[in-house]
């Protein structure tokens, strides 16, 4: 019996060795093909995934992936210019070896004043221009030459690009969202307003403006040129602080006046504040006034506080906003509504 068992065991060992060898070979072949398929896989790398996720979140190329800037997964894009943005601009100037050059005539560059541009426009009418009976048949909205050479950019504070600074400060300070409602008192030619209109939802930017030339510049040039006609801002002509055309049901998250109240009689400013108080969202809504509030300080601190209180308004303080890109700052005074 022992001998039979021993023989059976030895025979079993002899039989199992080829099977093990064959199994090992099959496993090796399978592993080889598996590794080959993995090495040729077109799956996205981690860096590709981050770009893809950013774009699907609505950030797109605005995300600074190349410089290590990442945005939250919600797709939020910051409103304000950041220090790293400024550093990026400086680096691009340095890397390209750029220096500010004199604005003189050179190949492909033809520097002219706005007066010269307007004269050329009237004399030569651009590269091609329909004449006679055909002149009015090819443009749905003819634009005056004065607007085409952007003379209206000199009507309000310089630099024109400083309007972006105002927008950034106000939008960031009030934590503005696209669904917010905004009213500007005296939007001029939309130096600031363009940025609000672009950011806000359709019909959520309102403005009261007295100057007809500025309004023509808004409707005939700025909104079409910026591709913002579809945003349908409600911009109304008026100089008496009358807001009935904006609708009785609209409640504003932000009401602001940039360098406007200092040019108006104190009595008219107070009339406007009285009418606006009921249109400002209680507690969270804000009124911002730039430069100074002499309409208030001329009354004296205690009297001004008392008068504001009678309107349901409260003075919150003074802000000094420094620009990151332009060598200037602006002073803003903040108010809120204290009663529902």
């Amino acid at each position: 019996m022992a001998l039979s068992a021993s023989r059976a065991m030895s025979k079993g060992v002899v039989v199992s060795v080829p099977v093990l060898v064959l199994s090992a070979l099959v496993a090796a072949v399978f592993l080889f093909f598996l590794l080959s398929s993995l090495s040729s896989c077109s799956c996205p790398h981690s860096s590709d995934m981050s770009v893809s996720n950013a774009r699907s979140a609505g950030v797109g190329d605005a995300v600074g992936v190349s410089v290590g800037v990442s945005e939250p997964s919600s797709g939020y894009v910051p409103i304000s210019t950041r220090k790293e943005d400024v550093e990026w601009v400086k680096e691009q100037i340095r890397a390209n070896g750029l220096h500010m050059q004199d604005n003189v005539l050179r190949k492909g560059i033809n520097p002219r004043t706005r007066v010269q541009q307007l004269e050329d426009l009237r004399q030569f009418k651009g590269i091609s221009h329909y004449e006679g009976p055909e002149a009015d048949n090819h443009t749905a909205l003819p634009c005056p030459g004065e607007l085409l050479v952007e003379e209206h950019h000199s009507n309000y504070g310089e630099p024109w690009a400083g309007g972006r600074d105002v927008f950034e400060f106000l939008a960031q300070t009030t934590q503005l969202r696209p669904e917010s409602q905004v009213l500007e008192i005296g939007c001029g030619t939309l130096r600031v307003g363009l940025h609000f209109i672009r950011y806000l939802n359709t019909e959520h930017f309102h403005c009261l403006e007295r100057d007809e030339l500025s309004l023509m510049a808004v409707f005939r040039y700025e909104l079409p040129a910026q591709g913002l006609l579809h945003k349908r801002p409600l911009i109304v002509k008026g100089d008496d602080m009358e807001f009935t055309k904006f609708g009785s049901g609209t409640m504003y998250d932000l009401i602001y006046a940039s360098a406007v109240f200092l040019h108006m009689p104190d009595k008219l400013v107070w009339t406007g504040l009285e009418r606006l108080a009921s249109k400002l969202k209680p507690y969270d809504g804000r009124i911002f006034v730039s430069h100074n509030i002499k309409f208030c300080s001329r009354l004296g601190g205690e009297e001004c506080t008392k008068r504001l209180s009678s309107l349901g308004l409260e003075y919150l303080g003074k802000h000094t906003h420094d620009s990151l890109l332009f060598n200037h700052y602006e002073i803003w005074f903040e108010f809120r509504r204290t009663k529902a």
Side-chain angles (χ1 to χ4, degrees):
M1 289 291 294
L3 182 58
S4 299
S6 175
R7 285 176 179 176
M9 291 178 63
S10 64
K11 183 183 285 188
V13 170
V14 172
V15 171
S16 65
V17 167
V19 174
L20 290 173
V21 172
L22 182 61
S23 300
L25 288 173
V26 171
V29 172
F30 177 76
L31 183 62
F32 171 78
F33 283 108
L34 179 63
L35 292 174
S36 299
S37 64
L38 287 175
S39 64
S40 61
C41 177
S42 60
C43 303
H45 298 289
S46 59
S47 60
D48 297 331
M49 286 291 289
S50 64
V51 175
S52 176
N53 290 340
R55 287 176 178 166
S56 65
V59 180
D61 295 334
V63 178
V65 177
S66 62
V67 292
V69 178
S70 61
E71 306 299 347
S73 58
S74 64
Y76 169 72
V77 178
I79 291 174
S80 294
T81 301
R82 301 161 297 181
K83 289 185 178 179
E84 52 264 41
D85 299 327
V86 177
E87 291 305 315
W88 178 83
V89 171
K90 290 180 179 179
E91 173 58 24
Q92 299 311 301
I93 293 173
R94 187 202 64 77
N96 285 287
L98 302 180
H99 302 280
M100 195 62 202
Q101 302 291 329
D102 292 336
N103 191 27
V104 296
L105 182 64
R106 52 195 183 276
K107 189 174 182 179
I109 302 294
N110 183 21
R112 292 166 296 162
T113 66
R114 288 195 175 112
V115 173
Q116 292 170 330
Q117 291 178 49
L118 183 57
E119 179 59 31
D120 288 349
L121 192 67
R122 288 171 174 167
Q123 183 176 353
F124 302 110
K125 299 179 181 176
I127 297 173
S128 300
H129 190 88
Y130 288 100
E131 301 285 353
E134 294 284 308
D136 297 327
N137 295 337
H138 303 275
T139 304
L141 186 66
C143 190
E146 290 83 356
L147 302 182
L148 290 176
V149 300
E150 299 179 347
E151 278 191 347
H152 59 280
H153 283 189
S154 299
N155 292 350
Y156 296 93
E158 284 74 34
W160 175 262
R164 176 72 194 186
D165 275 335
V166 175
F167 163 73
E168 289 184 4
F169 166 72
L170 294 175
Q172 201 75 36
T173 303
T174 58
Q175 299 181 6
L176 209 68
R177 292 292 179 264
E179 62 272 15
S180 300
Q181 290 278 357
V182 174
L183 170 66
E184 180 174 4
I185 312 299
C187 56
T189 54
L190 296 182
R191 187 173 72 109
V192 179
L194 283 173
H195 303 286
F196 278 102
I197 294 169
R198 185 177 291 110
Y199 177 76
L200 295 171
N201 290 343
T202 301
E203 300 180 349
H204 278 225
F205 178 83
H206 295 175
C207 165
L208 184 70
E209 171 58 47
R210 63 178 293 180
D211 185 63
E212 187 170 343
L213 176 62
S214 297
L215 290 170
M216 286 296 287
V218 163
F219 292 117
R220 298 284 292 274
Y221 183 84
E222 291 300 334
L223 290 175
Q226 298 292 331
L228 294 174
L229 288 172
H230 68 285
K231 284 300 188 83
R232 299 295 193 270
L234 180 54
I235 301 174
V236 175
K237 184 177 184 294
D239 57 3
D240 53 1
M241 297 293 274
E242 180 58 58
F243 304 101
T244 54
K245 291 183 180 180
F246 296 104
S248 58
T250 304
M251 299 293 289
Y252 294 104
D253 299 272
L254 169 64
I255 299 171
Y256 70 95
S258 178
V260 173
F261 284 178
L262 67 162
H263 300 301
M264 295 170 57
D266 291 358
K267 183 179 180 180
L268 184 57
V269 174
W270 283 109
T271 298
L273 288 175
E274 182 177 1
R275 293 170 178 172
L276 290 172
S278 61
K279 294 180 173 291
L280 186 67
K281 287 185 178 178
Y283 311 114
D284 295 329
R286 291 292 186 271
I287 294 177
F288 275 89
V289 179
S290 75
H291 291 67
N292 66 60
I293 49 173
K294 290 184 177 178
F295 65 89
C296 194
S297 59
R298 276 191 278 257
L299 295 176
E302 186 175 339
E303 183 61 30
C304 179
T305 300
K306 186 185 302 183
R307 187 158 184 181
L308 287 171
S309 181
S310 69
L311 301 178
L313 297 175
E314 176 187 12
Y315 172 60
L316 295 181
K318 171 183 171 182
H319 301 262
T320 300
H321 172 60
D322 293 305
S323 171
L324 281 174
L325 295 177
F326 311 105
N327 188 26
H328 73 105
Y329 68 90
E330 285 192 339
I331 296 174
W332 290 90
F333 300 86
E334 181 182 5
F335 303 83
R336 72 171 177 177
R337 181 179 172 186
T338 58
K339 298 178 182 179

